[in-house]
Amino acid sequence: MERFLVTGAGGQIGTELVRHLGNRHGADAILATDVRDPSVWARGGPGAQVGQLDCLDADALLGTARDFGTTCILHLASILSAAAEASPYRAYRVNMDSLVNVLEAAAKIGCRVFAPSSIAVFGPESPRDPAPQTTVLRPTTMYGVTKVAGEMLSDYYHARFGVDVRGLRFPGLVSYTAPPGGGTTDYAVEIFHAAVERRRFSCPLHPDTRMAMMYMPDAIRAILELMDADSSSLRHRNAYNVSAMHFTPAELADAIRARRPEFEIAFEPDPVRQAIADSWPTRIDDARAREEWGWHHEYELPEMVDAMLQGLEGLRRRRAAVLAR
Ligand code: AKB
């Protein structure tokens, strides 16, 4: 029977992935952990066992993984691109040391690993439209450096110790259940909060900054399908380009305004986020993922915008009803 240890479970991906895993395998089979106290991030009851775990503590990580009888670690703890530029050394420590601790634990107890990568592996020298699966990877951000190094470290643990580690180069992820934090693509989530709260949105990117994006249900399905795939078919096992839609802040604002005509936006680029976005590709070629394990996306921009507005408005109504009781 599979038993999943999730790190960074209180974050944007973890919140939704834990719920899906709990529905599929039962709450007893999932241990959802985060560096923060569960009282802060697990209030809604995530459908899993919960715990506090600092992945920089190698002994605690190994002990927890072993005691739980873990068969797969889903390692989601990470510092994202814009936050990493504010504290590069901390980002290096958190992103690299936690990954090597996870891979060491996996090698010792013989479990599988999912370790996400990112479109941040690409840099100004990579082709931008589209970014191929295999190309020059010389990112200019600390987050990108840790993601390239993480892909190579994962290759090493696979080749040297036989750890079955798999990963995806995620684009910007859009979702409404838990906020992202510290990413360059976070604007594509924050814009929806402003729209449903009828606030003017200050966009930290130039209106024509095109980036690759994906709606969270596609991202969760990508993780589950990659982890279910036959190992022998995976020739790019820990670093698959995956992509769904590509849009600019202006196009996203137009799509929101078509549904909420009162929505207001001002473009006030933040130099750090803009420089990061300008170093990333505008489109991603994900043909290898489609060929090797059947990846396909379901959500395009119009469906994603409808789902985000309806989801956030539903959440607001439920919260207001609880407060009114
Ligand atoms: C970020 O913006 O840092 C992340 C990413 C693309 O990996 N969302």
Side-chain angles (χ1 to χ4, degrees), residues 12 80-82 117-120 143 170-173 182-186 280:
Q12 189 194 11
L80 300 186
S81 55
S117 186
S118 162
I119 56 167
Y143 178 61
F170 275 131
L173 298 180
T184 303
T185 59
D186 292 6
W280 289 353

Side-chain angles (χ1 to χ4, degrees), residues 125-285:
E125 293 171 50
S126 316
R128 298 193 76 207
D129 189 16
Q133 173 68 47
T134 304
T135 186
V136 58
L137 300 179
R138 294 189 66 80
T140 47
T141 63
M142 178 53 94
Y143 178 61
V145 167
T146 66
K147 288 298 174 186
V148 174
E151 288 184 1
M152 295 177 73
L153 198 61
S154 300
D155 276 343
Y156 179 82
Y157 272 78
H158 176 62
R160 176 78 204 271
F161 301 113
V163 178
D164 182 355
V165 48
R166 305 181 185 192
L168 301 165
R169 289 177 181 155
F170 275 131
L173 298 180
V174 182
S175 67
Y176 62 86
T177 48
T184 303
T185 59
D186 292 6
Y187 90 88
V189 175
E190 290 156 2
I191 194 171
F192 286 101
H193 287 266
V196 301
E197 289 161 19
R198 294 171 187 270
R199 280 187 284 114
R200 173 179 169 276
F201 181 61
S202 166
C203 181
L205 295 178
H206 204 270
D208 58 9
T209 309
R210 184 172 300 283
M211 282 192 287
M213 299 280 180
M214 185 181 288
Y215 189 43
M216 189 60 86
D218 274 342
I220 299 298
R221 195 170 43 73
I223 297 172
L224 299 177
E225 289 179 6
L226 175 66
M227 295 313 285
D228 285 348
D230 180 355
S231 180
S232 64
S233 66
L234 303 179
R235 278 179 293 128
H236 302 85
R237 67 176 42 244
N238 62 52
Y240 280 102
N241 281 6
V242 280
S243 170
M245 54 192 115
H246 308 85
F247 55 77
T248 66
E251 289 166 355
L252 179 56
D254 286 347
I256 293 174
R257 218 180 284 111
R259 293 154 177 83
R260 301 290 180 274
E262 71 286 355
F263 175 61
E264 282 180 47
I265 185 164
F267 296 97
E268 293 162 330
D270 162 57
V272 173
R273 283 172 205 247
Q274 188 65 53
I276 296 172
D278 289 343
S279 76
W280 289 353
T282 53
R283 286 177 202 274
I284 306 295
D285 173 7

